[in-house]
Amino acid sequence: MNGDFNYRMPVQIICAAGVSKAISSHIKGKRVFILSDPFLFANGVAQTIGDNLEGRQVQYFSEIEPNPTCESVDLAAEQARRMGADCVIGLGGGSSLDVAKIVSCLTTNGGSIYDYYSGGTQTIENRQTQLVCIPTTAGTGSEVTNVGVFTNKKTKVKMPMVNQAFWPDLAVIDPELTYTVPPAVTASTGMDAFCHAIEAYWNRESNPISDALSLSAVKMILQNIKKAYDDPHDLGAREAMIISSLIAGISFSQTRTTGIHALSFPLTAEFGASHGTACSITLPAFIRISQEQAAEKMAAMAGYLGFGTVEELAQAVEDLMVSMNMPVRLNQLGIQEKDLQHITEVGLTPAIVHLTPAEMNTQTVYTLLKSIL
Ligand SMILES: [Fe+2]
């Protein structure tokens, strides 16, 4: 824990069942561009939100794909500019919310995402377009972070982009939107939130506020994720999951994530795992190695959660994942021993890997991956 810290959370948060249908009074713009994935467009959720915006011009972009590419970002930005959007709403999982962040900036900053992203020479100075994020899964936390993750289609490299202009103006937390999420997605997105909370907790940049948020989030997730998985209509569990995902998001927005997320990028970009699966598959192993430099703190978390040791916590998390039919071995994703060196090298590229409370180098990461092959 770092006793000297700077805490900033500029996002307004509104949370209530059904609130996504009643956000008109919060929208400052007159021309609203709503970004979602094809599913949320087909099932009418995007349209319902647009229909309740009272007299505003609304345009939809429904082509957000999982692991959004820079090309999709540019396509959406071009359409948003053409309509003169003064409000961008991201509706969906992390992909839609991340794309909304950069598109809301590109409406007035001009150019392509490639001008700003990894290797680009320009910087985004400010954002004049209102940015609203409405999560429909309980996991990403993207609605309260200033991070977007985008994939370069040509190189297949998936990298996070951080910008002060990416903080949403408004996060709309509506548990009703998660009621129809299927069990497999409930499991993977919920475990992503668990990773956010625990990575913020053991993070070298953690502070007393993020620690309190993380402990609260991990406890709520452990108490509710299996209930939401087993019974999608358990509204209490659904509400607890979207709120704990939000709390975990606020926590890691202050610290960033660590090795789990760094290693997840090649697992999604190159082996097709969903983000939550790619993160949680290394989670038990990372809990075990967190004792290398954060033994006392991790023992305190284990005790707070009712476990005798950190090893018991790691095993319980692994058992929980198995009980939700989640993969816990890399070979379940089709990964072979010959792939480990490459995953190690790509996983060590993001700077966040070094926020892990254990030595992260070619040898240690390879050993960790081999242990869960
Ligand atoms: Fe994540």
Side-chain angles (χ1 to χ4, degrees), residues 152-352:
N152 183 325
K153 204 172 180 180
K154 294 159 208 147
T155 61
K156 275 191 157 182
V157 173
K158 183 177 175 181
M159 287 286 275
M161 181 175 173
V162 181
N163 196 291
Q164 290 305 316
F166 282 2
W167 292 109
D169 296 302
L170 178 69
V172 179
I173 310 299
D174 182 353
E176 275 186 8
L177 296 175
T178 66
Y179 292 172
T180 55
V181 172
V185 179
T186 299
S188 64
T189 53
M191 289 312 293
D192 180 30
F194 189 93
C195 292
H196 296 155
I198 204 164
E199 287 181 271
Y201 181 79
W202 67 43
N203 200 294
R204 292 184 197 278
E205 298 287 328
S206 66
N207 65 55
I209 298 176
S210 60
D211 283 353
L213 294 167
S214 286
L215 285 170
S216 161
V218 289
K219 193 168 224 174
M220 279 172 87
I221 294 167
L222 285 182
Q223 287 170 342
N224 290 284
I225 189 169
K226 188 68 166 48
K227 286 186 199 165
Y229 175 85
D230 286 337
D231 179 6
H233 304 293
D234 183 332
L235 305 189
R238 287 296 200 186
E239 184 181 75
M241 284 306 296
I242 199 166
I243 291 174
S244 53
S245 161
L246 170 78
I247 295 170
I250 297 171
S251 188
F252 93 90
S253 75
Q254 306 301 309
T255 62
R256 292 175 285 161
T257 51
T258 62
I260 287 177
H261 271 69
L263 289 184
S264 81
F265 299 139
L267 300 183
T268 46
E270 299 175 47
F271 297 93
S274 72
H275 175 69
T277 297
C279 287
S280 49
I281 201 162
T282 60
L283 171 60
F286 268 99
I287 292 176
R288 292 183 171 105
I289 65 160
S290 69
Q291 297 179 92
E292 190 180 308
Q293 292 171 15
E296 203 177 317
K297 193 170 178 183
M298 288 305 295
M301 172 181 267
Y304 176 74
L305 297 172
F307 298 101
T309 63
V310 175
E311 173 54 33
E312 280 179 32
L313 168 62
Q315 192 56 51
V317 167
E318 192 170 331
D319 294 345
L320 173 66
M321 288 165 59
V322 171
S323 77
M324 297 189 293
N325 287 310
M326 295 184 74
V328 291
R329 294 269 150 194
L330 294 172
N331 68 48
Q332 293 172 280
L333 302 179
I335 292 167
Q336 300 172 18
E337 192 166 352
K338 67 177 173 57
D339 302 317
L340 299 186
Q341 195 60 39
H342 173 69
I343 297 169
T344 299
E345 284 162 20
V346 179
L348 279 168
T349 315
I352 53 170

